Amino acid sequence: MDGVTVLTNPSVSVRVTSTAGAFESLRRFNRGITIAEFKCKLELVVGIQASCMDLQLFSSTDTFLQKLDDNEALMGSYPVDDNCRIHVIDKSGTQSGGFEDLSAVEKFELPDDVYDKRSESVRSFLKKNKVGRFNEEKAAQKEELQAQRDAEEKLLAEALAPGLRCEVQVMGQPTRRGTVMYVGNTEFKPGYWVGVKYDEPLGKHDGSVNGKRYFECQPKYGAFVKPQFVTVGDFPEEDYGLNDEM
């Protein structure tokens, strides 16, 4: 009868966990190294000194098998198979997770005037290259353009008055007819706004926004739009057939 030869893979893939962190690492090791050599390799994985390690072996289904407590024994002499888990316990007394919770770490904050004097900071780079809020010329142009838009919006708003019939034409939306109910500033957004009561329930509210009432109308009949979208004129109320009986 011919002899039978059993071949064993010279290396094994194991999952490594530790008391030093909550993460799991999959690594491959040679079965021919001693447990002492194995601990030295684990230093680079878990950050615990080899002399402070206790090793526990778990199966692939995380059932505890035994301790790896003989530093002179070969790793292959233990039942370490692929996908087993080796848990490293830090015997030094270092608090687990001490470097994961940053809420207890005292943060260093540099005073603003000191940071301004640094030549190699992000703020210094932005200043030198006139980027963002440090571009005074661009900021001034932006303010001037906004002032011009505000002035134009004010002129358009002054041409409107409550009680006038109007059409509202907002890009991408159908034309709607209604009555101007409010013209002026609001608390919900800056600039000038026109409150309109539509002839049909195509609005968003009843004339009040965020608890502030600007005019009265039925629910879903009220809306606020910018003056540039409002045209006043002789726009009689259209019959949309909402009250027709079948």
Side-chain angles (χ1 to χ4, degrees), residues 2 7 15 21 47 50 52 54 73 92-93 111 116 131 138 140 153 162-163 201 231:
D2 295 336
L7 298 177
R15 296 176 291 131
C52 299
D54 270 345
S92 67
D116 271 335
V131 177
K138 188 174 182 179
E153 191 173 88
T231 303

Side-chain angles (χ1 to χ4, degrees), residues 103-115:
S103 63
V105 179
E106 184 177 355
K107 298 176 179 62
F108 173 74
E109 295 185 3
L110 194 67
D112 201 57
D113 57 337
V114 177
Y115 184 66

